[in-house]
Amino acid sequence: MMIPRTKRLVALAMLAIFSGCGSEFQRYPLEGTVNLDGQPLSNCMVIFAPCDAGASGATGMVVDGRFAIPQDSGATPGKYNLIFTEVQPDLEEYEQRRADNVPLLNAPTLPRNYQAANEVHVDVMPIQDNHFDIELKSYGWFQ
């Protein structure tokens, strides 16, 4: 019969397309450091926003100037814009700060230009060691 053979061929073609060359849809771990004017950034989220169609981005917390995104949450190989977003305390921490007479909200420290997808660019490679040392400046960026 022709139908079962056609179904098998379509299934094999789909498998070939979606499996790629072994790493096209494979996620990779991401890690690195983030400093602002030479000081470790904290209470911040880093977002790997894909520039390429079909790429899968990633998000991680920056704590004490470091971030680590495990492989299952990592990004696929490709070009990415990095977006940085400050994180305010959750309700429990907010209540504790209030009880301790500590400022309730963190003063903004990140320049606005880093909160958009046009300042910091990185390439995620199909390797297990995607390490990025990001140096942000109040007046610009360099890596």
Side-chain angles (χ1 to χ4, degrees):
M1 278 193 165
M2 198 62 134
I3 294 175
R5 183 175 181 189
T6 303
K7 285 183 180 178
R8 272 188 265 137
L9 288 175
V10 169
L12 285 172
M14 295 298 281
L15 181 63
I17 289 169
F18 289 116
S19 65
C21 296
S23 66
E24 188 171 319
F25 295 101
Q26 172 81 26
R27 290 181 177 269
Y28 290 92
L30 310 166
E31 66 176 35
T33 61
V34 183
N35 292 321
L36 177 63
D37 296 328
Q39 299 299 314
L41 203 55
S42 209
N43 296 322
C44 175
M45 188 172 257
V46 59
I47 301 165
F48 284 74
C51 297
D52 303 328
S56 296
T59 304
M61 288 296 298
V62 177
V63 179
D64 297 327
R66 298 186 178 279
F67 67 91
I69 302 171
Q71 183 168 352
D72 62 340
S73 302
T76 56
K79 296 184 181 304
Y80 290 85
N81 291 318
L82 296 187
I83 302 169
F84 298 91
T85 305
E86 291 184 277
V87 178
Q88 293 296 334
D90 61 18
L91 183 58
E92 186 177 306
E93 184 180 349
Y94 179 87
E95 291 297 330
Q96 185 62 48
R97 285 181 175 203
R98 187 173 170 193
D100 294 341
N101 288 326
V102 174
L104 299 179
L105 298 175
N106 296 327
T109 57
L110 263 177
R112 287 181 188 241
N113 55 321
Y114 298 120
Q115 299 176 38
N118 58 356
E119 288 289 324
V120 183
H121 314 283
V122 297
D123 291 321
V124 172
M125 306 303 289
I127 58 174
Q128 292 296 317
D129 185 26
N130 280 290
H131 183 88
F132 305 99
D133 292 316
I134 310 296
E135 292 291 332
L136 305 175
K137 295 288 183 189
S138 294
Y139 54 87
W141 176 81
F142 67 91
Q143 179 179 3

